[in-house]
Amino acid sequence: MQLFIEQLLNGVAMGSIYALITLGLALVYGILRILHIAHAAIYTVGAYVGLFLFKLSGSLIIGVAGSMVFCALLGVGIERFVYYPLLKYPPYVPLIGSIAVMLAIEELCRLVAGPQILTFQAVLPFPQFQIGGITVSSTLTAVYCITALVLLLLWYITSKTELGLAMRAVSQDIPIADAMGINSHLIVSLTFAIGSAIAAVAGSLVGIYYNQVYPTMGTVPAYKTLALIVVGGLGSVPGAVVASLLLGVAETLLIGYANIPLPRDALAFIAMIAVLMWRSEGLLGSR
Amino acid sequence: MKITKLLILAGLVLLLGIGTAGAADTIKIGLMAPLTGFAAADGASVLNSVKLAVERVNSQGGLLGKKVELIAYDDRANGKEAVAVARKLIQQDRVVGVVAGSYSTPSRASAPIFEDEQIPFVAAYAVHPDITKAGNYCFRNGFLGMVEGKSAGFVAVQMLKAKRIALLTSDNDFGRTLAEGFKAYIQDYAKGAKIVYAQTYPFKEKDFKPYLSKIKEINPDLIFASGYYFQTGPILKQAREMGIKTQILGEEGADSPKTMEIAGKAAEGFVIVTNLNRDDPRPEVQTFLKEYESRYKIQPDMVGASAYDAFMIICDAIKRAGSTDGKAIRDAIAGTRNYRALTGEIKGFNDIGEVVKEVQVQIVKEGRFHNFGVVTDMNLITP
């Protein structure tokens, strides 16, 4: 039982990390209906910028905040200069553009910061818990708290503010939203900014969590998050969160109990194929 | 018009070819290393160390009255890339010997090519058995995976007194061969010890908590983690974070300052079997360690020292052969006896081309590797 609870805690932490990375992708798909692969590259940049500013200033808060601003601008830049001009073409054109941006940013990170693994030696100021024989380490606590905070903020923005209302309007129908006096292009840019800022938090958090920052850290998330938004229901933010948490727990339990020869990454795609076959709208999506 | 242009071009190319072939006033030795890609930290260590070796040889007057020139290429730890680089070293640069300062996969892919051209090839630290089996011209200065795995078993049972052992193995040639060696030792030599958990993890794994939670429940005496620093480093860190106090044993893949950088304080007390003893009192070793650290501002590691040795073994052979002829160098390498290398005294090479020398055991104290012991049992270290 104790082992089960520990594995559950590990799984929820893994799922929380997946959720943080997937959120931006779900937001962007919800509003523009494009698969924003380059989101994983923004996540990598977020880790690098966070690490750089942290080393420069010695403050983790400045590092992460600076990284959020930088990534928000980067996200908006990609939207303005890559996706916006391509929106008039069929959806695979922005997708190809996105893959190109992803590769370009990854290589740029390698050229600027070098190919080797950098370490992100920051201490996350969170407490450690000891309940019975179960230890909840401070890094696990940090992952839970930060994810909860981000989700709460995002929920507040999307459902309690006028910006959230405008975002929903734009995601339903851009021309109608425009006709109602919403500056829909501004709303799209803001959505990218929010999603990318969350990716910066995710990048920095993962960098600290594993104490590793390297140019290809976005490669696995790039395709795994894709599977996750499909499983969650394309464009559904709550769906993406639920899918991420479920996958994190499922992966961890499967590794912990069954010695499967499959690498854990395969599970996300098995889930994706199953969803596409039997419930194509996803867990929480609507047709 | 087109034809004249073509002719001029062809002429130029020919001239260039003659130009390089004619400039044989240096002795060219090739180096293949993963300078970019996931193994780039090891590649940098290899290149830095071999550069020191080149300087050393040239400052002592070079070889056969000529300067030694290093031709280093990046193989990205990739088999296909290694084949292309091997052809370049042979056809364009016409090297007389090659140091394979890279991983098993690229070294395995390129060894047969050098064998065919009769160019002596010394693998610095790759562990796969096929490398030396490519033929007579292929040697290895590092340990065979089985030798190192068995030595790790000896350290676990004899030196660290473990009875119940858990294995965490990286799922590639390197990790699996080491785990096999370890298991072979337990089966043949250690009747009292038992492997209570054995698990391979995917190469790109970052989150080891699911495995470690399981290990925590089993509560073994020792964990043998066979993988690279970017795997064993996180294992150390995550295990200590989870409150696991079990002794962890690693091998040369974790022999890098990066292990301590990634794991931080969690690396204290971590033991590895490897090829380089930092506390070796011989002056040549201490000079190398000091010079490396003062020049490159990072601690030297086993891959660098092994590549330095591989380079020096070729140079030593050229000197003794008095020639740069491939066969003469090969015979001289095969005839190496009691050579004082950075990575211990090389007793010689066996018929397959495997080195015979003692296996070093190191422990991390205050963020640095220090001497913990040596495996001298000839039954274990003879390949």
Side-chain angles (χ1 to χ4, degrees):
Chain A
M1 192 58 201
Q2 190 174 321
L3 177 66
F4 178 76
I5 294 173
E6 263 193 27
Q7 295 290 33
L8 212 58
L9 288 171
N10 293 336
V12 172
M14 201 68 236
S16 303
I17 286 171
Y18 290 155
L20 282 182
I21 310 172
T22 313
L23 277 176
L25 202 65
L27 279 173
V28 168
Y29 189 88
I31 205 153
L32 275 190
R33 305 286 188 277
I34 50 175
L35 291 171
H36 179 31
I37 309 279
H39 188 67
I42 296 179
Y43 151 84
T44 308
V45 171
Y48 272 109
V49 175
L51 174 59
F52 175 73
L53 291 178
F54 167 68
K55 275 191 177 157
L56 214 65
S57 65
S59 152
L60 189 58
I61 296 177
I62 294 179
V64 175
S67 172
M68 287 171 76
V69 172
F70 187 92
C71 286
L73 292 174
L74 180 65
V76 172
I78 292 173
E79 185 263 323
R80 292 268 151 146
F81 298 109
V82 182
Y83 295 143
Y84 191 67
L86 296 178
L87 274 183
K88 54 181 178 286
Y89 299 108
Y92 63 82
V93 177
L95 174 66
I96 294 169
S98 187
I99 294 172
V101 172
M102 162 92 200
L103 293 175
I105 293 180
E106 228 176 64
E107 287 302 301
L108 210 63
C109 287
R110 183 176 68 79
L111 289 174
V112 173
Q116 63 276 55
I117 296 172
L118 304 179
T119 52
F120 200 144
Q121 286 163 342
V123 179
L124 292 164
F126 286 86
Q128 178 174 327
F129 294 103
Q130 189 93 35
I131 309 158
I134 299 160
T135 325
V136 184
S137 66
S138 61
T139 44
L140 282 187
T141 321
V143 170
Y144 299 148
C145 292
I146 291 168
T147 311
L149 189 71
V150 168
L151 286 177
L152 209 66
L153 265 174
L154 192 66
W155 169 79
Y156 181 79
I157 291 172
T158 50
S159 56
K160 297 283 165 195
T161 62
E162 281 192 7
L163 170 63
L165 192 64
M167 278 164 76
R168 268 176 289 154
V170 172
S171 76
Q172 279 167 12
D173 198 319
I174 291 181
I176 302 279
D178 273 334
M180 294 296 156
I182 295 171
N183 182 349
S184 60
H185 194 183
L186 179 71
I187 299 297
V188 168
S189 295
L190 279 174
T191 307
F192 267 89
I194 293 170
S196 304
I198 298 174
V201 175
S204 304
L205 183 63
V206 171
I208 298 168
Y209 190 60
Y210 296 134
N211 200 11
Q212 297 181 46
V213 175
Y214 50 99
T216 53
M217 64 188 281
T219 317
V220 173
Y223 52 79
K224 205 180 246 184
T225 50
L226 220 54
L228 281 172
I229 63 166
V230 172
V231 172
L234 280 167
S236 158
V237 173
V241 174
V242 170
S244 304
L245 289 173
L246 281 179
L247 181 72
V249 171
E251 275 183 7
T252 310
L253 290 183
L254 212 62
I255 292 171
Y257 286 101
N259 290 356
I260 42 155
L262 281 174
R264 64 158 68 186
D265 298 337
L267 200 59
F269 294 94
I270 294 173
M272 183 175 82
I273 292 166
V275 161
L276 287 177
M277 283 172 76
W278 291 298
R279 195 180 156 82
S280 58
E281 71 273 25
L283 294 178
L284 298 185
S286 48
R287 251 181 233 277
Chain B
M1 195 55 204
K2 256 190 183 160
I3 292 173
T4 15
K5 261 191 192 163
L6 257 177
L7 276 176
I8 292 172
L9 205 68
L12 275 175
V13 169
L14 274 177
L15 265 176
L16 274 174
I18 294 166
T20 46
D25 44 358
T26 59
I27 292 180
K28 288 183 182 171
I29 296 179
L31 170 67
M32 304 170 53
L35 301 176
T36 62
F38 71 91
D42 284 337
S45 170
V46 164
L47 185 60
N48 288 341
S49 305
V50 176
K51 275 184 182 160
L52 286 180
V54 175
E55 275 172 34
R56 174 119 187 255
V57 171
N58 282 337
S59 72
Q60 291 171 351
L63 293 175
L64 315 179
K66 292 176 185 170
K67 292 267 177 222
V68 173
E69 189 183 344
L70 180 71
I71 314 280
Y73 289 127
D74 179 14
D75 65 19
R76 302 203 317 237
N78 173 313
K80 276 186 227 147
E81 199 72 14
V83 169
V85 164
R87 298 212 188 286
K88 205 164 156 191
L89 281 171
I90 294 166
Q91 289 158 3
Q92 180 190 313
D93 302 305
R94 299 178 190 282
V95 293
V96 301
V98 175
V99 175
S102 196
Y103 284 27
S104 285
T105 312
S107 307
R108 248 173 110 177
S110 53
I113 300 173
F114 292 108
E115 177 68 32
D116 283 348
E117 298 291 328
Q118 304 199 328
I119 294 171
F121 177 85
V122 182
Y125 58 89
V127 297
H128 201 282
D130 284 358
I131 298 166
T132 42
K133 284 184 189 152
N136 282 336
Y137 283 77
C138 300
F139 297 88
R140 182 195 329 263
N141 168 50
F143 298 114
L144 204 57
M146 282 305 270
V147 170
E148 197 169 326
K150 280 187 202 167
S151 304
F154 173 83
V155 173
V157 176
Q158 297 296 331
M159 295 170 88
L160 298 167
K161 309 288 175 213
K163 294 250 182 297
R164 302 174 68 245
I165 298 165
L167 303 186
L168 261 181
T169 306
S170 170
D171 191 7
N172 68 346
D173 281 351
F174 177 75
R176 282 180 180 275
T177 327
L178 285 166
E180 260 171 54
F182 192 95
K183 282 181 196 154
Y185 176 85
I186 300 291
Q187 214 161 48
D188 300 345
Y189 297 91
K191 290 282 173 268
K194 217 170 83 187
I195 291 170
V196 289
Y197 176 79
Q199 175 74 52
T200 51
Y201 57 81
F203 190 72
K204 285 189 176 159
E205 189 63 272
K206 294 284 168 211
D207 189 54
F208 296 95
K209 294 197 188 74
Y211 311 102
L212 291 168
S213 283
K214 192 85 183 263
I215 290 178
K216 191 178 175 185
E217 197 195 47
I218 295 169
N219 191 24
D221 302 332
L222 179 131
I223 303 169
F224 176 56
S226 53
Y228 301 96
Y229 59 87
F230 48 84
Q231 298 164 330
T232 306
I235 287 176
L236 285 164
K237 182 169 183 274
Q238 291 169 22
R240 301 302 180 232
E241 269 173 15
M242 292 167 66
I244 298 174
K245 298 195 172 63
T246 311
Q247 172 70 49
I248 299 179
L249 172 68
E251 27 56 44
E252 62 176 47
D255 184 324
S256 163
K258 285 270 171 195
T259 303
M260 282 77 94
E261 214 182 311
I262 292 170
K265 283 211 162 47
E268 290 298 305
F270 172 53
V271 175
I272 55 169
V273 286
T274 185
N275 204 348
L276 173 65
N277 177 11
R278 272 73 170 181
D279 295 331
D280 193 325
R282 289 177 299 150
E284 57 263 42
V285 180
Q286 290 307 323
T287 315
F288 167 79
L289 296 176
K290 284 201 190 79
E291 206 176 320
Y292 188 100
E293 195 160 351
S294 74
R295 176 154 341 167
Y296 302 116
K297 310 290 172 233
I298 184 166
Q299 295 173 38
D301 55 26
M302 159 270 163
V303 291
S306 304
Y308 181 103
D309 283 345
F311 182 84
M312 286 304 205
I313 288 166
I314 296 176
C315 290
D316 176 63
I318 292 175
K319 212 183 276 177
R320 281 188 286 115
S323 148
T324 56
D325 171 59
K327 174 136 191 1
I329 299 174
R330 190 220 84 88
D331 292 345
I333 296 178
T336 305
R337 289 288 172 275
N338 302 328
Y339 175 77
R340 290 164 68 87
L342 292 183
T343 55
E345 190 175 281
I346 294 175
K347 300 185 199 310
F349 292 95
N350 73 2
D351 291 343
I352 310 166
E354 299 292 352
V355 76
V356 183
K357 66 180 168 189
E358 292 167 348
V359 175
Q360 304 295 329
V361 189
Q362 304 272 289
I363 184 168
V364 177
K365 279 184 196 154
E366 283 157 22
R368 281 174 167 276
F369 287 114
H370 285 289
N371 185 30
F372 187 69
V374 198
V375 182
T376 50
D377 186 344
M378 286 307 280
N379 285 329
L380 299 178
I381 64 174
T382 308

